[in-house]
Amino acid sequence: MAGSRGSWTDGTLRSRSFFKPHHVARALFHPAWIPESLDPSVERLKRVRVAAGAVAAIGVYTFVEGGFAFTEMLQNTLVAAGVLLLITPLTVGAMLYVWRRDGTVRQLRSPLLNALKLLLLFVGSVVATVLLLQSASSTGGLAIIPLGFLALWMVGFVGAGALRITANFFGTAAVHRALPPLLAIVTTWLMAVPDLVTGDLHGLSLKLGVVFILGAPVTVTAISLLEMGRLRRRYGIRLRAHPATLPPAYVPRQGHPQGNPYPAPSPARNPYNGRDPYGR
């Protein structure tokens, strides 16, 4: 799918863009091959899901603990990156196993590889940012000026990138429209459940700990299920269906309609038999 849309950034990244880290983050972490939302209502749901995910990431360490625990936030950032690196391929792999009845992995190879590249790019950026912040905090003299500037640039870059990544979940919508909300559910629960299992309630009572720790994943789950429900009812996009068997969802991005990018697995399984149902 990336190949059909041109370069990764689609020519939006310029040399002057590097003065604005959020512009670089937008170009790199929301590349041109990621399809746009099907309608404004789904896009609004994504924004609410992003906000709920942000609460899951920093809410306990700022509001609950009464301050911004910088060191602990760095540690949890690395843990979150590790969770993403592990759970995203596992979740996608589980769905590939479900989809094997109606199609093959070969049909999805291009968008899967692009999503993997995006995942590795983001995790690598997170690790580099944490290392830079740790180096800047332990460096003295004039060397701290360029190092600190670079660290601050990376913080803005990764922060803006995290918002993009949380919305598109590494471009997995290019594989299947319902994958991003599914990954949002799995990731937020995996970040919350260990605290409950280990009893790490961050100094809160049991009731408050459960409310604050489970509040975000429950909210994200509800929003994600609503998002998947809208995709199913309005566009016939079902999570359990192989992308090649779904009806084409025309999404104008460059001013031209985009059809189903996947070749039909077989005439018996594809109701459109490789033809556009609209006769085009």
Side-chain angles (χ1 to χ4, degrees), residues 165-179:
I165 288 298
T166 306
N168 62 52
F169 256 95
F170 311 105
T172 48
V175 180
H176 194 294
R177 290 279 188 177
L179 266 182

Side-chain angles (χ1 to χ4, degrees), residues 51 64 68 123 137 182 267 274:
V64 177
F68 189 81
V123 172
S137 62
L182 173 66

Side-chain angles (χ1 to χ4, degrees), residues 231-243:
L231 290 174
R232 182 180 65 254
R233 292 190 303 270
R234 297 187 178 187
Y235 304 99
I237 298 176
R238 298 178 179 275
L239 178 62
R240 295 178 63 87
H242 189 284

Side-chain angles (χ1 to χ4, degrees), residues 42-194:
V42 174
E43 184 63 28
R44 286 193 293 269
L45 287 173
K46 285 184 179 181
R47 291 174 183 172
V48 178
R49 172 161 55 81
V50 170
V55 172
I58 65 174
V60 172
Y61 306 108
T62 55
F63 179 76
V64 177
E65 294 191 356
F68 189 81
F70 181 73
T71 302
E72 192 169 4
M73 275 297 301
L74 291 182
Q75 294 174 352
N76 282 277
T77 299
L78 289 178
V79 171
V83 169
L84 288 173
L85 188 60
L86 175 65
I87 199 60
T88 302
L90 287 178
T91 304
V92 174
M95 291 311 304
L96 290 175
Y97 181 78
V98 172
W99 296 334
R100 78 194 189 284
R101 300 169 304 173
D102 304 317
T104 65
V105 177
R106 182 183 297 274
Q107 295 169 279
L108 311 175
R109 181 173 56 184
S110 179
L112 283 173
L113 288 176
N114 284 330
L116 178 60
K117 293 175 187 176
L118 195 54
L119 170 63
L120 295 176
L121 175 62
F122 180 72
V123 172
S125 300
V126 169
V127 173
T129 302
V130 171
L131 294 177
L132 273 174
L133 288 171
Q134 292 176 340
S135 299
S137 62
S138 60
T139 301
L142 295 177
I144 195 176
I145 297 177
L147 193 60
F149 176 80
L150 180 59
L152 289 176
W153 191 95
M154 286 296 295
V155 168
F157 170 70
V158 170
L163 294 177
R164 297 284 175 177
I165 288 298
T166 306
N168 62 52
F169 256 95
F170 311 105
T172 48
V175 180
H176 194 294
R177 290 279 188 177
L179 266 182
L182 173 66
L183 287 168
I185 294 173
V186 174
T187 303
T188 52
W189 276 105
L190 282 180
M191 293 297 293
V193 168

Side-chain angles (χ1 to χ4, degrees), residues 173-242:
V175 180
H176 194 294
R177 290 279 188 177
L179 266 182
L182 173 66
L183 287 168
I185 294 173
V186 174
T187 303
T188 52
W189 276 105
L190 282 180
M191 293 297 293
V193 168
D195 286 341
L196 292 177
V197 173
T198 60
D200 183 10
L201 301 179
H202 307 282
L204 298 171
S205 65
L206 179 61
K207 291 182 179 180
L208 282 178
V210 169
V211 169
F212 276 100
I213 292 174
L214 292 186
V218 168
T219 303
V220 169
T221 299
I223 296 170
S224 298
L225 291 176
L226 181 59
E227 183 179 342
M228 287 190 285
R230 286 179 181 269
L231 290 174
R232 182 180 65 254
R233 292 190 303 270
R234 297 187 178 187
Y235 304 99
I237 298 176
R238 298 178 179 275
L239 178 62
R240 295 178 63 87
H242 189 284

